[in-house]
Amino acid sequence: MADVAGEAGRVPWRGWVKGGLTGLVILAVGALAWTALSHLAAEISYQEVVDALRATPGWALGVALAATCVSFLALTFYDWTALRYVGRRVPYPVIGLTSFCAYAVGNTVGFGPLTAGAIRYRFYTPHGLEPEEVARIVGFVTATFGLGVAGVTALGLFIAGDVTGMGMPGWIGHGVGAVGLCLLAALVVASGRHQAVTIGRWSVEPPAPRLLIIQFLATIVDIAAAGTVLWVLLPASAVIDLPSFIAIYAVAIGLGVLSHVPAGLGVFETVVMAAVAGRADTEQVLGALLLYRVVYHVVPLLLAGVAVALLETRRVAVMLADTRVVRAGRRLAPPVLGALTLLLASMLVFSGVTPADDARLDLLSGLLPLPLVEGAHFLSSVLGLMLFVVARGVTYRLDGAWWAAVSIVLAAMVLALAKALALTEMVLLAVLLGLLLLSRREFTRKASLLHSALTRPWLVAVGLLLIAALAVLFFVYKSVDYTHDLWWQFEFSGEAPRGLRALLGVALLAGLGAGWALLRPAVMADLPDPDEDALARALAVVDAQRRPGAQLALLGDKKLLFSENGQAFIMYARQGRSWIALFDPVGPSVEWATLIWRFVEMARASGGRAVFYQVAPENLALYADMGLVAFKLGEEAQVDLTSFDLKGSKRANLRNSANRCEKAGVQFEMVPAAGVPALLDELRAVSDDWMAAHNVREKRFSLGAFIPDYIALRPVAVLRRDGQVVAFASLMLTGQAEEASIDLMRFSSKAPPAVMEYLLMRLILMFKEQGYKRFNLGMAPLSGLSASAVGLWQQVGRAVYERGDRFYNFSGLRTFKSKFGPEWEARYMAVPGGLNPMLALADITVLIAGGLRGVVGK
């Protein structure tokens, strides 16, 4: 265990190194892509690209928009088939909205908490899907999309032969395409056998042939329609037939995805320009690529923002028959608006390094003084970077981020007029402002933006933004001789100096922000141990809600983070770098989101990781909103008291155990809380006997401990034999009288066999008579993990459950609890991704055991 502790201290640095290297690789790929793109466009000018954009006919834009609609309609079938693959059913309107928003965000942004996978996770888990099922959906979509891209490329080769223009004989292209199509057909045939495909330790269940065919057809329609968007925008599209171009497009998309650069920016353009080189004017191709990004990426994101914002209004919500669509829109509003904020922030930065229209500058020169124009240009770019950073807070529903975004957008709208009469820019910002105002009630989490540290993905995104802005600057002003004098040239026609100063301001602000985020000292802001007043307040909250497990807050070994009104709290403890909260927050659910965010920010401010241990599946979307990932811990057994009885063959063992105990003279007694103090000496003797017999230490945190004041809080059930206590169970109850649970459950060596079954049976029957609805038997660790689930966590957990009985009786515990016919409900750990789950679980183990000695010595 000493080695484990030492490794736990070193691994976070390795994680930072690994994450930093990954970020540097992405930045390097982005830089190389822009370098290659700049080399291909070396002979053209920015004005030629603008002229090519303006020369695009209206009919081409209409066809491109129609093809975009077809592509996004096909994308909805990705989720439809994936849900069928995991055996789930969700109404199609809900699938359509989620899919549209997920792809509108993922296609445009493609990183961190704004990815399509994260949006699916936010939406599908409240509909009853478990996180591993969402992971299977994402894996299914990713794998089948890859197969679809390969299939479309093969189909294009089979039809067109040579699609590269490199003089390859057509028969080779036809042959390669035929082989690829045959392999895909063989895969469809193999899937009909319903045999799992095993590669090493991994086992994947192939989808049914029908689903595979539907998915493949959807991919063909999607890629063909998306490729058509670009094809109709190209000025010389007739030079390349559509099937050949679709194959080129599929390859470009695949390489863009593999690059991990957001939206494949630069990589996609480089492949397309290289493939059509010599077939059309370079400036026209580049103009078509820019227009393609607007039509296929920007327009859907704007529409997604409008859709989810409209669902926020009461008038529209009342008119919709399917309220699940309204709920979906509410969950999707912040991430979609965050992506839109990110996009328009990038627009402000790029606007700062590109020239304005000469006619508008001439008009502006007669209205405003030059210093005001220069200042507006500079500040607009700086505000763009600030808005880029604020987009993270918008995604996380922060109240402060909403106010900051509204303020920045308002200021940027004014500056857009002052710097260049940029009407289009102002209109887009006005749309974002309107959407933010419509969605105001979704941004209720109070948190300080200054104390919210940017994560590595966001820092990488800022770096990519700067690389892109620098590449655009050098492309636009490549004919300008760069000298030191440029920095001090101030005139209306001096566009290059203004662009240089704007980019310098953005780069300096980004550098200062990144340095502050990475080098600032950790703020060890923690709460004091709870005093008697805090424990009394916690007891009142526990009694006012229905979950008896919340009683563990009264052990005194956990800190309590109360909501502002004191009606809810989070109980937590710290171990190593882990801030570990036990269960979901306690109290009214309306307080949970703000409480969870406060806890996550407290942990981050101290340089730690926030961990939520044993949370319920219906609340996973709350943790996803905080950027946390859920990992299944096991299943909790809950007996439905309304239907429980001892009749039938399934309960024969319980009846036999009861008969044996009663024949042995065992008597059941319920001792009220007021009578427990007089019984403590006898209970302690039984507890000590049990601990000695099992050679265990007292556990804490997620388990009750024999603490006299804590035991005396609630009634205790005892079993007596010849007047002597031989077994007892302390209870966890609330004032709602809806659910009961056991806490400590111990027996002496003098107790007859099956005494624990008898004690539980008597408790279940007693609470059934008292009108309780459920009896909680606690969790069975690692149970319910699917053998075919995706992910290392699931595979390792399943292997431990099946082969780890020598260390812990995993399967035996579930078998024992199954005797009472419970309903099993999954429990999860919510924690940041990467190595954090394993490190957090190690910290939790040490915390529950009371230190490393407790882990080693049970």
Side-chain angles (χ1 to χ4, degrees):
M1 293 307 302
D3 293 338
V4 173
E7 188 67 15
R10 294 190 296 268
V11 166
W13 289 103
R14 294 181 181 177
W16 268 101
V17 171
K18 180 181 178 181
L21 290 176
T22 302
L24 290 176
V25 169
I26 295 175
L27 291 174
V29 171
L32 289 173
W34 277 108
T35 301
L37 189 61
S38 301
H39 178 72
L40 290 170
E43 302 301 324
I44 63 175
S45 67
Y46 172 77
Q47 188 57 46
E48 289 175 328
V49 175
V50 173
D51 293 339
L53 285 171
R54 291 173 177 171
T56 304
W59 68 264
L61 284 174
V63 174
L65 288 170
T68 299
C69 294
V70 173
S71 174
F72 274 83
L73 179 62
L75 287 172
T76 63
F77 286 91
Y78 286 25
D79 282 44
W80 186 88
T81 54
L83 284 163
R84 295 303 189 275
Y85 172 66
V86 300
R88 293 287 189 167
R89 297 291 188 271
V90 176
Y92 182 78
V94 176
I95 296 175
L97 176 63
T98 304
S99 173
F100 175 66
C101 292
Y103 283 109
V105 171
N107 289 347
T108 306
V109 182
F111 80 95
L114 296 177
T115 60
I119 290 180
R120 285 190 184 93
Y121 182 84
R122 282 181 170 91
F123 170 70
Y124 286 135
T125 49
H127 280 260
L129 274 74
E130 296 186 353
E132 52 268 26
E133 290 179 314
V134 178
R136 291 179 67 195
I137 289 174
V138 174
F140 177 86
V141 170
T142 302
T144 51
F145 175 75
L147 291 173
V149 169
V152 171
T153 305
L155 185 62
L157 286 171
F158 179 73
I159 295 174
D162 179 19
V163 300
T164 63
M166 298 177 62
M168 181 179 68
W171 64 269
I172 295 180
H174 292 303
V176 172
V179 170
L181 292 176
C182 289
L183 290 175
L184 288 174
L187 179 62
V188 173
V189 173
S191 67
R193 299 176 181 176
H194 302 291
Q195 294 180 350
V197 178
T198 302
I199 303 176
R201 296 182 178 180
W202 304 95
S203 180
V204 179
E205 180 184 351
R210 173 175 168 268
L211 291 181
L212 201 59
I213 292 173
I214 293 175
Q215 177 67 26
F216 183 58
L217 292 176
T219 306
I220 291 177
V221 174
D222 166 37
I223 295 178
T228 302
V229 175
L230 180 54
W231 186 73
V232 299
L233 296 175
L234 287 171
S237 57
V239 176
I240 304 177
D241 59 280
L242 183 58
S244 299
F245 183 78
I246 296 301
I248 294 173
Y249 178 86
V251 172
I253 287 291
L255 292 176
V257 171
L258 291 175
S259 71
H260 292 288
V261 175
L265 194 62
V267 178
F268 173 82
E269 284 80 1
T270 301
V271 175
V272 173
M273 288 189 67
V276 301
R279 299 175 183 266
D281 293 336
T282 305
E283 68 274 8
Q284 293 178 322
V285 175
L286 186 56
L289 285 166
L290 292 175
L291 195 55
Y292 161 80
R293 289 288 186 182
V294 173
V295 172
Y296 194 75
H297 290 175
V298 177
V299 171
L301 185 56
L302 285 170
L303 291 177
V306 171
V308 297
L310 287 178
L311 289 175
E312 286 294 294
T313 62
R314 295 178 181 272
R315 180 178 60 83
V316 176
V318 169
M319 291 190 301
L320 288 174
D322 190 350
T323 57
R324 286 173 291 190
V325 177
V326 178
R327 292 195 295 268
R330 294 187 62 184
R331 283 190 290 272
L332 292 173
V336 171
L337 293 183
L340 186 57
T341 303
L342 201 70
L343 179 67
L344 296 189
S346 303
M347 176 194 71
L348 291 176
V349 174
F350 291 139
S351 175
V353 297
T354 53
D357 184 80
D358 291 337
R360 292 179 180 177
L361 281 178
D362 291 340
L363 177 62
L364 202 61
S365 64
L367 299 175
L368 297 176
L370 178 60
L372 184 58
V373 174
E374 292 281 358
H377 193 98
F378 181 85
L379 290 176
S380 180
S381 298
V382 172
L383 286 178
L385 181 64
M386 294 172 62
L387 190 61
F388 195 94
V389 175
V390 167
R392 174 180 179 269
V394 172
T395 303
Y396 289 142
R397 306 169 187 257
L398 301 190
D399 176 80
W402 185 88
W403 283 107
V406 168
S407 302
I408 292 173
V409 169
L410 281 171
M413 288 172 61
V414 175
L415 294 176
L417 293 177
K419 72 178 183 180
L421 296 176
L423 298 179
T424 302
E425 188 175 304
M426 189 185 72
V427 169
L428 291 175
L429 291 170
V431 170
L432 175 59
L433 178 63
L435 298 181
L436 287 170
L437 293 175
L438 285 174
S439 304
R440 173 66 184 95
R441 56 182 176 172
E442 286 301 309
F443 299 88
T444 56
R445 296 173 186 161
K446 299 184 182 301
S448 173
L449 287 175
L450 296 178
H451 291 92
S452 300
L454 286 180
T455 55
R456 286 190 299 270
W458 286 88
L459 293 175
V460 170
V462 171
L464 288 172
L465 176 67
L466 294 178
I467 290 174
L470 183 64
V472 170
L473 178 71
F474 283 131
F475 170 70
V476 172
Y477 302 113
K478 60 185 175 183
S479 60
V480 175
D481 293 329
Y482 290 94
T483 64
H484 292 296
D485 294 337
L486 283 177
W487 298 104
W488 315 110
Q489 290 182 8
F490 297 92
E491 53 188 31
F492 276 101
S493 60
E495 295 278 26
R498 268 200 292 272
L500 280 173
R501 288 189 291 268
L503 184 59
L504 177 64
V506 170
L508 286 176
L509 181 61
L512 290 173
W516 175 75
L518 294 173
L519 301 178
R520 63 175 179 166
V523 180
M524 302 302 291
D526 199 0
L527 299 177
D529 294 330
D531 54 18
E532 292 185 3
D533 178 65
L535 291 176
R537 291 163 55 201
L539 178 58
V541 174
V542 170
D543 280 337
Q545 50 89 57
R546 65 176 182 81
R547 295 178 301 153
Q551 179 179 309
L552 291 172
L554 308 177
L555 269 172
D557 63 341
K558 290 176 276 291
K559 300 177 186 294
L560 303 176
L561 174 64
F562 283 93
S563 60
E564 291 186 358
N565 59 16
Q567 296 180 1
F569 66 84
I570 286 177
M571 56 179 125
Y572 75 95
R574 292 176 59 178
Q575 177 65 43
R577 290 183 58 245
S578 298
W579 291 50
I580 305 165
L582 181 61
F583 307 139
D584 296 300
V586 181
S589 58
V590 294
E591 305 288 337
W592 290 11
T594 301
L595 258 180
I596 293 171
W597 178 256
R598 284 176 56 195
F599 180 74
V600 171
E601 286 297 279
M602 282 176 58
R604 287 174 178 167
S606 70
R609 67 177 71 86
V611 184
F612 289 85
Y613 183 64
Q614 292 192 33
V615 297
E618 64 267 21
N619 304 318
L620 293 180
L622 288 174
Y623 303 103
D625 284 344
M626 313 301 169
L628 304 181
V629 183
F631 297 88
K632 191 170 184 178
L633 293 169
E635 293 181 320
E636 188 175 80
Q638 293 191 358
V639 178
D640 182 3
L641 298 182
T642 60
S643 60
F644 181 85
D645 58 49
L646 292 177
K647 299 177 182 179
S649 59
K650 292 183 179 180
R651 300 289 185 265
N653 290 334
L654 292 180
R655 294 195 301 270
N656 292 335
S657 298
N659 291 333
R660 287 196 300 269
C661 287
E662 290 173 355
K663 288 180 180 178
V666 175
Q667 296 178 327
F668 174 81
E669 178 186 354
M670 177 61 69
V671 181
V676 172
L679 197 65
L680 283 174
D681 290 340
E682 288 187 77
L683 299 181
R684 183 181 293 278
V686 172
S687 177
D688 292 343
D689 187 3
W690 180 85
M691 293 179 67
H694 291 80
N695 190 27
V696 295
R697 293 159 53 95
E698 198 75 80
K699 302 295 191 292
R700 295 292 181 93
F701 189 64
S702 64
L703 301 171
F706 197 95
I707 300 174
D709 291 341
Y710 175 74
I711 296 293
L713 285 173
R714 303 296 189 196
V716 174
V718 300
L719 293 180
R720 294 182 182 273
R721 187 180 189 185
D722 298 330
Q724 184 178 5
V725 176
V726 294
F728 75 90
S730 63
L731 301 178
M732 291 194 287
L733 306 170
T734 75
Q736 302 303 302
E738 181 177 335
E739 179 179 328
S741 181
I742 53 172
D743 194 357
L744 289 182
M745 190 172 182
R746 294 173 179 177
F747 58 92
S748 72
S749 57
K750 299 177 182 179
V755 69
M756 304 313 287
E757 292 180 22
Y758 179 63
L759 179 55
L760 283 175
M761 185 196 70
R762 291 298 304 265
L763 284 171
I764 290 173
L765 293 174
M766 183 193 72
F767 284 115
K768 176 182 174 68
E769 292 178 1
Q770 294 179 4
Y772 281 73
K773 297 179 180 180
R774 289 178 301 277
F775 188 82
N776 194 321
L777 293 173
M779 197 174 73
L782 301 181
S783 67
L785 299 183
S786 173
S788 61
V790 177
L792 180 62
W793 177 275
Q794 299 287 334
Q795 298 292 330
V796 171
R798 184 69 185 177
V800 171
Y801 180 81
E802 293 175 347
R803 302 178 178 87
D805 282 348
R806 60 177 295 187
F807 303 105
Y808 185 88
N809 191 15
F810 293 103
S811 58
L813 181 60
R814 182 182 175 99
T815 301
F816 173 78
K817 294 182 179 182
S818 295
K819 294 179 180 180
F820 301 92
E823 298 174 354
W824 294 96
E825 185 175 276
R827 289 293 178 266
Y828 294 87
M829 176 176 66
V831 64
L835 292 174
N836 287 301
M838 299 300 181
L839 298 176
L841 193 59
D843 285 339
I844 291 170
T845 303
V846 174
L847 180 63
I848 294 174
L852 290 176
R853 289 184 58 190
V855 176
V856 176
K858 295 187 178 181

